[in-house]
Amino acid sequence: QVVGGKVKKPGKRGRKPAKIDLKAKLERSRQSARECRARKKLRYQYLEELVSSRERAICALREELEMYKQWCMAMDQGKIPSEIKALLTGEEQGKAQQNSTKLAKVGKTEANSSNP
C-alpha cells in the first residue's frame, strides 16, 4: 500500500512492546508499593502531629476564655481583678516611659538645631 510516497505495512501501529523481564517488573512494582506505604506513613504522622498541636492550642484558648469569663463576672459584681489592675498600671507605666523618651528625643533635636 503506497500513501503519499511512503510504503505502509498492514498491521499494528506504534512501537512494538519490548520483551520485559517479568521478575524485574515484579520487583519494580514491589519497590513502588514500599515507597507508597512509606509516603503514606509519613503523611499520617504529619497529620497526627498537626492534630495534636491544634488540640493543644484549642485547650489553651479555652483556658484563656474561661479566665476572661471569670474576669467579666468579677467586674459585673463590682470587683476589679488584680490581673486587670496590673495590666492597667503596666500600660500607664509604659506610656509614661514612652512620653519621657519622646521628650528626651525632642530635647536632643532642639539642642542640635540651635547649634550653628
Side-chain angles (χ1 to χ4, degrees), residues 41-84:
K41 185 177 179 181
L42 285 173
R43 187 170 43 250
Y44 274 90
Q45 285 175 348
Y46 166 74
L47 291 173
E48 286 174 358
E49 290 172 7
L50 191 64
V51 166
S52 66
S53 69
R54 299 284 166 91
E55 285 175 346
R56 285 192 300 271
I58 289 170
C59 288
L61 289 170
R62 283 192 175 137
E63 289 174 5
E64 188 177 352
L65 178 63
E66 189 60 35
M67 177 184 67
Y68 290 141
K69 283 181 181 179
Q70 289 175 359
W71 287 4
C72 289
M73 289 188 328
M75 290 173 65
D76 287 344
Q77 295 172 357
K79 301 172 187 172
I80 299 176
S82 59
E83 295 92 349
I84 293 179

